[in-house]
């Protein structure tokens, strides 16, 4: 679908939130704090979709009445396409101007909310570079790739209740850990190795029934769109606890997501073939369509760029991740969120975690302001942003997942 | 609180669902299938608590109106104690007979439902015998106890969306696995090593705020009660995938819970000191009260007893599990479910999984009907039941978590 010019909106054609993007959110305004609405971002404003559909698309209005994306996500591909086409018309055709112009709120005045109810949260491990880097750090004497990894992606379930909206402060967690290289008793205290992980998250819309796998070809029937994820990690807690059940407290203290859910429909220009794979795959992981995504991620600490992870280098596509997640018959629910795992490219400045950027703390990063980071310090703000190809050489924005580190609470819990 | 005689109910004083038990459920009846009610089991009947509170306890009626336990769980300890005292009075004092007698439905006529909305599901690894048995099987050359396990319990997040009510059939899952001892290419197909795990589940009522740990002493303020859990496991899928992120598809295809949530108040007589521990614990795991539970579990395959795991032997108490789960500031939500992990005692006939009972399939079990099981066969029904000490030497029942294995779906998923 060609993107119409934003005639009456007077929007710069290269605006990263132009009509080619149109991501969704949930918001309220200060004047009407109790009225939770679904919004669509256009330029630097948010369209109140809850009210707009009451006026212009009454047949779909029930999908937006509760102010979350949940009913719309559940409704499926037909509704997703229809509503996007309607919004595009409203924002570009002069005849709709009067009906929607008063429903545009400056983003700065919108109180953004978690846009959907997170059902289950799964975190994958889909970047070959990330897995290789981490394996070389934690298992220096072994093959850095786990034995199953070229045959299937690895994953674990995370804590859905710890998923928070961009801007929520993250309390430095406490836990038991051993000093690196020590075999002595562990000590309880604030993590000394606090890290970020830059990831993409995929938001499931259409549910399935327990016992019925989802074919890799059906990805776009079930997944609505994409957000940005920071999978905050406490590396010392994680290292102490991970054998044999995987990460737990090292990850479950907070996971930040962007407020904007960018529909797959906005990412059609980003689709690329994933890097070639040298291992024959089981049929359930064999794709007939390309669902690699040429999305450029950027990570900043205190507004200073520290990494540019290229999502196009991911070994496993989001369609393969979904097929794997359900291969055993696990059901999907509306609001399931699965993340890609850390996005890391082959070059040093493309690594998506401090663990990799500082080589497990041994080569601290020097930031532009002269300060040095092996791990995150209290007060640090981490921002993850991303862009994807838009029309005519422009880029669309996927927004930002941002969070600042609060100091640990040290008082006794008794 | 002494348990009154069930005067007008004419209930056998040794009935396993007498007034000392009173577990909660959600149910409807065939005649009024759309009317979902909260129920309380007494004897072989279910009291319609939704209607009973409308009649007799209007100030609490809103807690039961939606037919799930969710609002009641969230309300906290005061409401839990009040409502239990009221129900006890209604069922024992003649003056309430007329108001509640018509609200008792035979259990056989009740359509039981999942009693609460599962928020996050966590599975622990709290039995020293289970951890030791599994370690010896999977890591024969290493210390069977993981390096952190005597300092803290191990755990992973499971799939909340795969939690199903007792009686729901479980489809044999497919996945990639290698033949034991093989280093060749893995093959995709139905699991050949399907197993059960007999566990107790703890149901969280009162939520907390992200960033604030729950002290071990506050267990009973946050946890409402206990259910039975079968953590179905596909051992070949699990073995292939578990390094380094822990179990995923090997566990996420189904987790069965009992319909009855037994409140902690009914388990006061079951409280015991956990087995002595030889490792100094961090303050956050140091208990001032004993929350070991003398609960006797039984596992049956096709109605034939195969194991009697004793919960009293568990190394980590449920209060310690909760303190650990939140030590990093992870928030609790109403409906969070955390399970103990497999309950296994020191004796061979006390092991809570086939993995242990058949020594990883090398010593198949012979059942009373003459059949042999290394792993579960299609059509097998697994039942987990449990009892706890009641008054005067009686036992109260925690109900049953039951499920039957359906054959795998083998057709292509494309």
């Amino acid at each position: 679908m060609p993107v119409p010019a934003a005639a009456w909106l007077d929007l710069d054609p290269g605006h990263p939130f132009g009509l080619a993007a149109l991501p969704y959110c949930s918001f309220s305004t200060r004047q009407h704090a109790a009225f939770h609405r679904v919004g669509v971002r256009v330029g630097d404003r948010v369209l109140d979709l809850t009210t707009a559909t009451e006026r212009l698309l009454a047949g779909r209005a029930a999908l937006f009445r509760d102010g979350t994306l949940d009913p719309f996500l559940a409704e499926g591909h037909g509704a997703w396409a229809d509503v996007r086409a309607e919004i595009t018309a409203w924002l570009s055709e002069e005849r709709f101007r009067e009906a929607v112009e008063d429903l545009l709120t400056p983003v700065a005045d919108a109180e953004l909310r978690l846009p959907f109810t997170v059902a289950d949260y799964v975190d994958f491990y889909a970047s070959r570079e990330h897995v290789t880097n981490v394996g070389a750090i934690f298992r220096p004497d072994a093959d850095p790739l786990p034995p199953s990894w070229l045959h299937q992606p690895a994953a674990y379930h995370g804590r859905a209740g710890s998923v928070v909206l961009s801007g929520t402060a993250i309390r430095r967690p406490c836990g038991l850990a051993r000093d690196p290289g020590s075999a002595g008793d562990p000590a309880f205290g604030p993590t000394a190795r606090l890290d970020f992980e830059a990831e993409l998250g995929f938001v499931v819309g259409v549910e399935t029934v327990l016992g019925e796998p989802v074919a890799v070809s059906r990805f776009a029937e079930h997944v609505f769109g994409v957000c940005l994820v920071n999978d905050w990690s406490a590396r010392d807690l994680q290292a102490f606890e991970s054998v044999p059940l995987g990460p737990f407290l090292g990850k479950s203290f907070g996971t930040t997501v962007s407020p904007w859910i960018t529909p797959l429909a906005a990412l059609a220009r980003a689709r690329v073939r994933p890097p070639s794979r040298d291992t024959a795959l089981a049929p359930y992981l064999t794709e007939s369509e390309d669902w690699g995504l040429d999305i450029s991620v950027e990570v900043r600490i205190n507004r200073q760029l520290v990494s540019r992870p290229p999502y196009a280098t991911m070994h496993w596509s989001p369609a393969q991740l979904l097929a794997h997640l359900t291969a055993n018959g696990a059901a999907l629910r509306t609001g399931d969120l699965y993340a890609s795992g850390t996005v890391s490219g082959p070059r040093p400045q493309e690594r998506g975690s401090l663990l990799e950027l500082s080589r497990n703390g041994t080569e601290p990063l020097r930031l532009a302001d002269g300060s040095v980071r092996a791990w995150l310090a209290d007060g640090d703000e981490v921002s993850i942003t991303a862009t994807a190809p838009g029309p005519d050489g422009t880029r669309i924005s996927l927004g930002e997942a941002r969070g600042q580190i609060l100091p640990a609470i040290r008082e006794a819990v008794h």
Side-chain angles (χ1 to χ4, degrees), chain A:
Chain A
M1 184 174 68
V3 178
W8 67 262
L9 273 177
D10 195 25
L11 198 64
D12 180 331
H15 197 291
F17 290 104
L19 294 187
L22 299 179
Y24 296 83
C25 72
S26 173
F27 78 107
S28 56
T29 61
R30 278 184 211 99
Q31 301 92 317
H32 305 284
F35 179 22
H36 299 165
R37 324 172 197 206
V38 172
V40 177
R41 178 148 182 182
V42 57
D44 299 317
R45 293 186 284 181
V46 183
L47 173 69
D48 170 359
L49 188 58
T50 298
T51 306
T53 51
E54 298 282 2
R55 290 183 187 172
L56 294 168
L57 193 62
R60 300 282 192 194
L63 299 179
F64 303 102
R65 216 163 270 154
D66 82 350
T68 80
L69 284 174
D70 299 350
F72 180 52
L73 293 177
E75 193 73 1
H77 195 270
W80 305 342
D82 281 358
V83 169
R84 186 169 166 86
E86 291 285 336
I87 295 167
T88 303
W90 302 341
L91 296 173
S92 53
E93 297 177 27
E94 184 66 31
R95 64 193 171 109
F96 293 113
R97 179 176 187 157
E98 194 178 321
V100 300
E101 196 165 23
D102 67 313
L103 300 179
L104 291 164
T105 299
V107 170
D109 294 343
E111 306 268 6
L112 296 167
R113 309 168 47 81
L114 206 56
F116 63 97
T117 308
V118 181
D120 271 301
Y121 167 52
V122 167
D123 195 21
F124 277 93
Y125 206 47
S127 158
R128 183 164 184 163
E129 285 74 20
H130 174 67
V131 173
T132 304
N133 291 339
V134 171
I137 289 168
F138 285 131
R139 296 176 295 279
D141 301 325
D143 184 342
L145 285 180
S148 63
W149 196 84
L150 291 172
H151 300 283
Q152 64 182 22
Y156 64 96
H157 282 88
R159 190 162 184 82
S162 293
V163 174
V164 297
L165 187 68
S166 178
T168 306
I170 299 293
R171 177 76 63 189
R172 178 181 296 271
C174 291
L176 281 171
R178 277 198 179 101
D179 287 334
S182 157
D185 280 347
F188 183 84
T191 176
R193 298 201 270 151
L194 186 57
D195 202 355
F196 61 82
E197 292 192 339
E199 310 193 4
L200 247 56
F202 297 88
V203 180
V204 170
V206 176
E207 66 181 15
T208 63
V209 172
L210 193 68
E212 297 184 2
V214 176
V216 68
S217 60
R218 304 215 147 166
F219 166 66
E221 291 172 39
H222 292 277
V223 168
F224 171 74
V226 177
C227 61
L228 302 176
V229 175
N230 185 345
D231 175 35
W232 303 95
S233 300
R235 301 298 181 189
D236 39 7
L237 278 54
Q238 186 184 350
F240 184 61
E241 74 187 350
S242 283
V243 175
L245 298 182
F248 184 58
L249 297 190
K251 299 279 195 174
S252 64
F253 58 92
T255 303
T256 300
V257 295
S258 59
W260 307 105
I261 311 300
T262 301
L264 290 185
L267 298 173
R269 290 181 194 81
R271 291 177 62 177
V272 291
R273 177 156 297 192
S276 63
R277 304 183 182 101
D278 40 17
T279 303
L281 294 180
Y284 85 94
L285 289 171
T286 304
E287 290 181 291
S288 54
E289 293 184 272
D290 293 330
W291 272 108
L293 293 168
D294 177 21
I295 292 174
S296 301
V297 181
E298 295 189 337
V299 184
R300 288 175 175 76
I301 298 177
N302 301 334
R303 305 192 182 185
Q304 299 156 89
L305 186 69
V306 297
S307 180
R308 290 181 183 270
Y311 197 83
T313 64
M314 296 296 273
H315 186 86
W316 296 105
S317 82
Q320 292 172 310
L321 302 184
L322 187 73
H324 186 65
L325 196 162
T326 62
N328 67 347
L332 297 178
R333 292 185 293 170
T334 298
D336 279 348
L337 172 68
Y338 65 96
S340 60
T342 307
V343 185
S344 288
R347 292 185 289 185
Q349 65 275 28
E350 294 176 343
R351 296 168 182 161
S353 66
L354 272 178
L355 175 70
E356 296 162 87
L357 289 165
S358 77
R359 292 186 181 267
N360 199 25
T362 61
E363 298 176 11
L365 273 191
R366 183 167 297 275
L367 305 185
D369 66 6
S371 65
V372 165
R373 289 290 181 290
W375 307 102
L376 294 173
D378 290 345
D380 277 354
E381 183 182 76
V382 178
S383 158
I384 298 168
T385 57
T387 61
D392 305 320
T394 61
R395 306 283 298 177
I396 66 168
S397 172
L398 280 72
E400 181 184 33
R402 181 173 45 81
Q404 189 175 23
I405 304 302
L406 298 179
I409 301 177
R410 295 231 45 177
E411 68 259 34
V413 292
H414 288 268

